[in-house]
């Protein structure tokens, strides 16, 4: 034993980190996803754990592989699906899953239509996802409390069994709105305990939404004029006060409508020369034309 | 008499880990992996029964090994089980390789049969002892 300690090689954490290729992917996550502090923190923690686990294994310290089933809860448009799609990539680079593939399903893909149809269907999906990540969107639909003969229960039981017995073979990520997922977990206590990571996606602040808007525009080769940027930040403030606000999805819809108006404006000024710049720029008018402003004012007056 | 067929027939039986590696190789090449079984070991019997469905869209050996375990639950020690990899690319459209992964506990072997025809001429054929019994109760 004494010999062991004397000759034990020093473990180079820095080199292991470099080798794993996790650094770039965490950086990419940082730059491409705005906000989402708790989510990024948890991903960092998981990355650190897996890296340390690998080092421990290299020096002969064995331990059970960690359970990485996750549940993402949050309001609409907070990035649950986007992060899940990245998760497969992250876990693959960390060497936790064998292949970099994500199988994305909803209730329809798991639950059958008649007796005896559900089990093979669910098993087929689980086998398809093996080696990678199974992402269940709107997972709370699996359980329908109002119908006790619903086949969803059967799918849930099969999934629980596979999640437990084959946790080295696949990672299950469930996503859904916070309140309904809570209800889902209350009626299926087995799920809550088998999922190690419950990650809550917070709502975005107004500043973050503006950043997201600019990121989205950049991806599509558009940009705001300075006045449009101010107008959009006012727009977001007004939109957030209205009902059915769904974070990044509302931003995307607003931008789509602004693009429509920009296209109309350019179309109506035909006869003039149009530059590349004109094609790229969204003006303040296109944002201010939204009926959200009027609606927000009306709502404010009513209160 | 230990019957050998297909790829790796000169090697001892593969372990599960080795089977997994072979399956991963087939999946990496985009070949559909199938599990087949039979209780008629005659070498000319090429069409074995298919277990479940052809596994075109599984990306990981774990899924095939899961099915293999299911198949073994039913047929272990009672039939031959093999894994084959089917390549559907144009011009190939055939099995790339197959190997036996499980066999009955007792393999009685084959008899040589002689049939006298046309005077002193003889025709030869082989017959598996196990096929003396009806299908389903051979091993």
């Amino acid at each position: 034993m004494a010999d062991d300690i004397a000759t034990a090689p020093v473990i180079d954490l820095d080199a292991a980190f470099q080798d794993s290729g996790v650094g770039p992917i965490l950086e990419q996550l940082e730059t491409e996803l705005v906000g989402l502090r708790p989510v990024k923190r948890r991903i960092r923690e998981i990355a650190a754990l897996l890296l340390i686990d690998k080092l421990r294994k290299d020096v002969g310290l064995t331990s059970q592989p960690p359970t990485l089933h996750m549940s993402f809860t949050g309001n609409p448009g907070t990035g649950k699906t986007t992060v899940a799609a990245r998760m497969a990539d992250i876990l693959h680079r960390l060497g936790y899953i064998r292949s970099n593939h994500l199988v994305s399903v909803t209730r329809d893909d798991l639950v059958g239509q008649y007796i005896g149809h559900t089990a093979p269907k669910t098993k087929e999906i689980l086998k398809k996802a093996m080696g990678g990540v199974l992402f269940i969107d709107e997972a709370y639909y699996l359980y329908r409390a109002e119908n006790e003969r619903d086949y969803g229960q059967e799918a849930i039981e099969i999934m629980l069994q596979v999640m437990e017995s084959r946790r080295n073979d696949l990672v299950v990520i469930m996503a859904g709105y916070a309140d309904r997922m809570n209800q889902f977990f209350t009626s299926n206590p087995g799920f809550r305990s088998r999922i190690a990571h419950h990650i809550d996606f917070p709502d975005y602040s107004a500043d973050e939404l503006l950043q997201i808007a600019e990121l989205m525009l950049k991806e599509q080769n558009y940009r705001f004029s300075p006045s449009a940027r101010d107008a959009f930040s006012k727009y977001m403030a007004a939109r957030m006060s209205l009902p059915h606000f769904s974070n990044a999805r509302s931003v995307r819809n607003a931008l789509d409508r602004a693009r429509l108006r920009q296209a109309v404006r350019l179309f109506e000024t035909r006869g003039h020369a149009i530059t590349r710049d004109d094609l790229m720029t969204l003006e303040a008018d296109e944002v201010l034309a939204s009926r959200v402003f009027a609606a927000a004012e009306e709502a404010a007056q009513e209160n | 008499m230990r019957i050998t067929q297909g790829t790796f027939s000169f090697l001892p039986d593969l372990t599960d880990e080795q089977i997994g590696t072979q399956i991963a190789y087939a999946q990496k090449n985009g070949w559909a992996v199938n599990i087949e079984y039979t209780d008629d070991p005659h070498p000319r019997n090429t069409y074995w029964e298919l277990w479940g469905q052809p596994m075109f869209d599984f990306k990981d050996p774990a899924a095939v090994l899961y099915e293999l375990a299911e198949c073994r639950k039913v047929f272990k020690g009672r039939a031959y089980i093999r894994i084959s990899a089917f390549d559907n690319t144009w011009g190939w459209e055939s099995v790339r390789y197959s190997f036996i992964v499980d066999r009955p506990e007792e393999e009685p072997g084959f008899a040589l049969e002689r049939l006298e025809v046309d005077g002193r001429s003889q025709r030869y054929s082989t017959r598996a002892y196990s096929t003396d019994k009806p299908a389903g109760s051979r091993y």
Side-chain angles (χ1 to χ4, degrees):
Chain A
M1 198 63 208
D3 269 4
D4 271 9
I5 292 165
T7 57
V10 180
I11 295 156
D12 191 348
L13 190 60
D14 217 32
F17 182 72
Q18 294 287 333
D19 285 349
S20 67
V22 182
I25 203 164
L26 288 179
E27 259 164 47
Q28 198 188 357
L29 209 65
E30 200 66 46
T31 52
E32 287 179 15
L33 294 178
V34 178
L36 299 177
R37 290 274 135 238
V39 179
K40 287 177 186 165
R41 196 185 322 124
R42 184 57 74 94
I43 290 176
R44 261 173 204 288
E45 285 167 6
I46 292 173
L49 172 69
L50 291 178
L51 195 64
I52 296 295
D53 242 34
K54 208 194 267 174
L55 289 177
R56 280 170 54 100
K57 211 159 133 201
D58 288 347
V59 296
L61 297 167
T62 53
S63 57
Q64 285 282 317
T67 317
L68 280 193
H69 303 310
M70 296 176 217
S71 123
F72 292 172
T73 50
N75 286 329
T78 43
K80 299 184 289 289
T81 318
T82 316
V83 171
R86 291 283 171 77
M87 216 61 203
D89 202 24
I90 295 171
L91 294 179
H92 178 59
R93 293 221 200 163
L94 288 166
Y96 185 80
I97 53 177
R98 287 184 295 264
S99 65
N100 179 8
H101 77 275
L102 175 95
V103 176
S104 186
V105 299
T106 53
R107 180 189 154 91
D108 284 0
D109 303 293
L110 293 166
V111 179
Q113 285 151 13
Y114 41 83
I115 292 180
H117 189 204
T118 303
K121 213 171 165 184
T122 307
K123 276 187 189 154
E124 198 68 12
I125 294 288
L126 287 167
K127 278 184 278 180
K128 222 182 263 185
M130 271 181 192
V133 172
L134 175 65
F135 177 62
I136 307 171
D137 211 355
E138 321 286 338
Y140 47 81
Y141 277 131
L142 277 178
Y143 180 74
R144 293 208 166 136
E146 70 274 13
N147 182 0
E148 61 179 25
R149 281 200 233 160
D150 185 58
Y151 300 140
Q153 192 63 39
E154 197 181 342
I156 290 173
E157 273 155 28
I158 291 167
M159 282 197 1
L160 281 179
Q161 192 195 334
V162 173
M163 277 164 75
E164 188 66 23
S165 64
R166 312 206 136 236
R167 57 172 167 229
N168 300 343
D169 289 332
L170 89 165
V171 172
V172 176
I173 299 180
M174 303 187 159
Y177 305 146
D179 49 338
R180 300 175 82 170
M181 282 306 275
N182 276 334
Q183 218 176 347
F184 174 69
F185 284 130
T186 323
S187 36
N188 297 280
F191 255 127
R192 190 189 279 285
S193 57
R194 276 177 184 84
I195 291 176
H197 304 274
H198 291 265
I199 306 178
D200 202 33
F201 284 58
D203 282 345
Y204 292 109
S205 69
D207 273 355
E208 287 167 349
L209 287 170
L210 192 60
Q211 273 182 55
I212 291 171
E214 285 186 321
L215 217 61
M216 281 180 181
L217 286 179
K218 205 174 150 199
E219 265 169 26
Q220 307 184 58
N221 296 310
Y222 277 95
R223 63 163 173 255
F224 281 136
S225 70
S227 59
R229 193 173 186 278
D230 292 342
F232 195 78
S233 108
K234 276 188 211 125
Y235 170 87
M236 266 354 280
R239 183 68 188 86
M240 281 166 87
S241 67
L242 291 176
H244 305 301
F245 174 66
S246 54
N247 291 293
R249 204 167 299 145
S250 292
V251 172
R252 186 194 300 151
N253 292 343
L255 292 178
D256 282 350
R257 285 192 295 270
R259 282 169 60 195
L260 278 180
R261 294 189 200 105
Q262 183 230 26
V264 171
R265 169 174 61 88
L266 292 176
F267 195 68
E268 279 170 357
T269 57
R270 66 185 184 278
H272 301 279
I274 292 179
T275 62
R276 192 180 137 87
D277 247 19
D278 291 333
L279 289 174
M280 278 179 72
T281 311
L282 297 179
E283 291 294 346
D285 284 347
E286 273 116 46
V287 179
L288 293 172
S290 170
R291 64 192 156 76
V292 164
F293 289 103
E297 216 160 273
E298 209 171 280
Q301 272 166 12
E302 268 171 29
N303 293 330
Chain B
M1 183 193 152
R2 185 175 178 275
I3 290 167
T4 57
Q5 268 189 31
T7 323
F8 317 126
S9 56
F10 291 99
L11 298 179
D13 287 346
L14 302 187
T15 63
D16 272 12
E17 195 186 333
Q18 290 166 329
I19 293 170
T21 317
Q22 289 303 329
I23 294 169
Y25 175 74
Q27 285 170 331
K28 194 186 83 189
N29 286 294
W31 303 336
V33 180
N34 307 286
I35 296 172
E36 294 165 301
Y37 64 92
T38 191
D39 58 0
D40 176 7
H42 196 284
R44 302 296 284 266
N45 171 27
T46 48
Y47 299 114
W48 293 21
E49 308 283 338
L50 187 63
W51 171 266
Q53 280 159 355
M55 291 171 263
F56 291 107
D57 47 4
F58 294 166
K59 303 222 166 37
D60 193 76
V64 180
L65 288 174
Y66 175 85
E67 276 300 321
L68 180 60
E70 294 287 303
C71 183
R72 277 177 172 159
K73 266 186 212 163
V74 180
F75 291 113
K76 178 145 187 78
R78 296 204 295 121
Y80 292 88
I81 303 174
R82 76 177 173 197
I83 281 180
S84 64
F86 180 83
D87 183 356
N88 67 353
T89 46
W90 190 82
W92 273 96
E93 293 151 329
S94 60
V95 169
R96 279 294 194 106
Y97 69 110
S98 73
F99 54 97
I100 293 180
V101 293
D102 220 302
R103 55 181 69 250
E105 269 154 23
E106 214 185 292
E107 300 172 274
F110 296 90
L112 180 70
E113 294 207 324
R114 299 186 174 83
L115 184 69
E116 291 189 321
V117 289
D118 305 335
R120 297 292 294 161
S121 297
Q122 273 194 63
R123 293 277 170 85
Y124 298 100
S125 78
T126 49
R127 179 178 55 81
Y129 287 120
S130 54
T131 51
D132 287 347
K133 289 179 217 152
S137 54
R138 284 174 182 166
Y139 292 101

